[in-house]
Amino acid sequence: MILLILTTQEKVGKRIADRLRSKYNYIVQTFTNARKFCEAAYDEGPERIDLLMVDYLSFLNDELNPFERMVEMEKVFPFIYYNTPFAKSGHRTEYWYNKIVRHIKSYIPDEKVASLIRLFSQIDDIVSAPDIQPYVRLLNEPPEISDEEAEDADEEKKLFLEEFRQKHNIHNSRFRVLEYLYKRLGEEVTEETICNDLWNEYSDRKTGVLYSYISELRKACSTEKSSRLLIERSGKRSYRMVLYKNRDAV
């Protein structure tokens, strides 16, 4: 099999690639430049490339739907975010496979789709390995906290939001959207639910307001360094907020 990896963590990407080569004898190329990665993929074509493995932080994934983009370009590859924060170890195979089936199954030969289950299971094993998993940004699952610690955690969230609000001079109306998404960190929320919960109205006017507010909030989020919020489009009409802390590479 031939796999291309695009990563923001060069050493992590190399370690994953080395494991795929040594353990399964796959042909793997790693990239840290998105343009060169895309050029290599399109030069080889979907007939030769079996999988594109992409770091979740490599693209503006909140604004770019890679599946839609590939369909538009008329070159469709099996594609995963190898460090997706939305599926735990042991469940990533199903998560990745369902994404493929949902978005691009009709564009990929059936035999290639069938082979992905085994491939995804192998990748999950590798990224979950003790010498790799702790270093992969976004992949790490949050530790469980006791009931006694829950109140302290809630207080920390409030302080974080208030500091973020003051630092970026966020207006009350925008802050309501920020707070709403932050309280549902990691959850997919439809724009209809957001509009109804915040304004008791779901209309073109209110969705326009929501788009404007989220655009402003994204600009504020993009300037953070130690702790960064991402507001991503998880679907055509839904959003998800993610929080990650920058970590040193392997």
Side-chain angles (χ1 to χ4, degrees), residues 220-238:
C221 292
S222 67
T223 65
E224 290 298 304
K225 300 298 182 182
S226 59
S227 294
R228 183 180 174 194
L229 289 171
L230 296 176
I231 304 175
E232 67 141 15
R233 266 198 178 277
S234 51
K236 285 188 176 181
R237 295 187 178 276
S238 58

Side-chain angles (χ1 to χ4, degrees), residues 39-58:
E39 288 177 352
Y42 288 122
D43 285 347
E44 291 291 339
E47 298 79 18
R48 284 179 50 80
I49 303 299
D50 293 285
L51 181 66
L52 303 181
M53 296 173 56
V54 177
D55 185 336
Y56 194 83
L57 302 175
S58 294

Side-chain angles (χ1 to χ4, degrees), residues 10-22:
E10 187 173 5
K11 292 180 181 179
V12 172
K14 182 179 183 300
R15 186 167 293 184
I16 293 172
D18 288 345
R19 195 69 48 86
L20 286 165
R21 295 189 193 102
S22 63

Side-chain angles (χ1 to χ4, degrees), residues 6 51-62 64-67 79-86 92 95-96 99 123 139 232:
L6 175 63
L51 181 66
L52 303 181
M53 296 173 56
V54 177
D55 185 336
Y56 194 83
L57 302 175
S58 294
F59 295 123
L60 293 174
N61 47 70
D62 52 353
L64 171 69
N65 184 318
F67 299 107
F79 177 103
I80 65 169
Y81 288 116
Y82 69 81
N83 58 339
T84 173
F86 306 120
R92 296 186 189 107
Y95 178 84
W96 289 327
K99 283 281 190 180
I123 294 170
L139 189 67
E232 67 141 15

Side-chain angles (χ1 to χ4, degrees), residues 3-245:
L3 293 75
L4 303 187
I5 299 177
L6 175 63
T7 181
T8 62
Q9 296 178 278
E10 187 173 5
K11 292 180 181 179
V12 172
K14 182 179 183 300
R15 186 167 293 184
I16 293 172
D18 288 345
R19 195 69 48 86
L20 286 165
R21 295 189 193 102
S22 63
K23 196 168 184 178
Y24 302 111
N25 202 31
Y26 294 155
I27 298 172
V28 187
Q29 286 184 274
T30 59
F31 299 82
T32 56
N33 182 288
R35 180 181 60 79
K36 291 182 179 179
F37 171 83
C38 292
E39 288 177 352
Y42 288 122
D43 285 347
E44 291 291 339
E47 298 79 18
R48 284 179 50 80
I49 303 299
D50 293 285
L51 181 66
L52 303 181
M53 296 173 56
V54 177
D55 185 336
Y56 194 83
L57 302 175
S58 294
F59 295 123
L60 293 174
N61 47 70
D62 52 353
E63 298 177 359
L64 171 69
N65 184 318
F67 299 107
E68 290 181 357
R69 182 60 175 161
M70 287 189 292
V71 171
E72 290 173 0
M73 298 288 291
E74 298 183 343
K75 285 196 175 183
V76 181
F77 304 80
F79 177 103
I80 65 169
Y81 288 116
Y82 69 81
N83 58 339
T84 173
F86 306 120
K88 296 181 180 180
S89 177
H91 297 278
R92 296 186 189 107
T93 295
E94 181 181 6
Y95 178 84
W96 289 327
Y97 183 76
N98 287 340
K99 283 281 190 180
I100 297 295
V101 170
R102 176 183 174 186
H103 291 283
I104 55 174
K105 183 178 184 296
S106 61
Y107 298 91
I108 301 175
D110 290 342
E111 61 273 15
K112 179 173 281 192
V113 174
S115 70
L116 292 175
I117 295 179
R118 180 169 174 267
L119 175 59
F120 289 164
S121 179
Q122 293 167 344
I123 294 170
D124 187 15
D125 288 344
I126 289 173
V127 298
S128 300
D131 62 330
I132 293 179
Q133 190 269 344
Y135 301 98
V136 183
R137 295 182 182 127
L138 291 182
L139 189 67
N140 306 295
E141 300 172 18
E144 293 292 331
I145 59 175
S146 65
D147 292 339
E148 292 76 16
E149 294 173 313
E151 291 185 7
D152 290 339
D154 288 340
E155 187 61 29
E156 287 182 8
K157 288 181 179 179
K158 291 178 182 177
L159 289 173
F160 176 85
L161 280 179
E162 188 56 37
E163 290 176 359
F164 189 91
R165 177 183 190 172
Q166 294 181 11
K167 180 178 180 180
H168 299 284
N169 194 28
I170 297 175
H171 190 274
N172 289 345
S173 56
R174 282 71 169 169
F175 184 74
R176 287 187 69 198
V177 176
L178 175 70
E179 186 177 36
Y180 182 90
L181 292 174
Y182 192 79
K183 286 181 178 179
R184 294 156 182 80
L185 204 64
E187 298 179 18
E188 183 176 300
V189 190
T190 66
E191 62 182 34
E192 180 178 1
T193 300
I194 298 172
C195 290
N196 284 330
D197 286 349
L198 293 182
W199 301 302
N200 295 316
E201 178 187 337
Y202 180 53
S203 63
D204 290 342
R205 183 174 68 87
K206 282 301 181 184
T207 53
V209 171
L210 179 64
Y211 297 157
S212 175
Y213 289 180
I214 286 180
S215 177
E216 291 181 30
L217 291 172
R218 281 174 173 159
K219 291 178 182 179
C221 292
S222 67
T223 65
E224 290 298 304
K225 300 298 182 182
S226 59
S227 294
R228 183 180 174 194
L229 289 171
L230 296 176
I231 304 175
E232 67 141 15
R233 266 198 178 277
S234 51
K236 285 188 176 181
R237 295 187 178 276
S238 58
Y239 294 94
R240 182 188 284 115
M241 176 174 278
V242 184
L243 172 68
Y244 79 91
K245 293 187 177 181

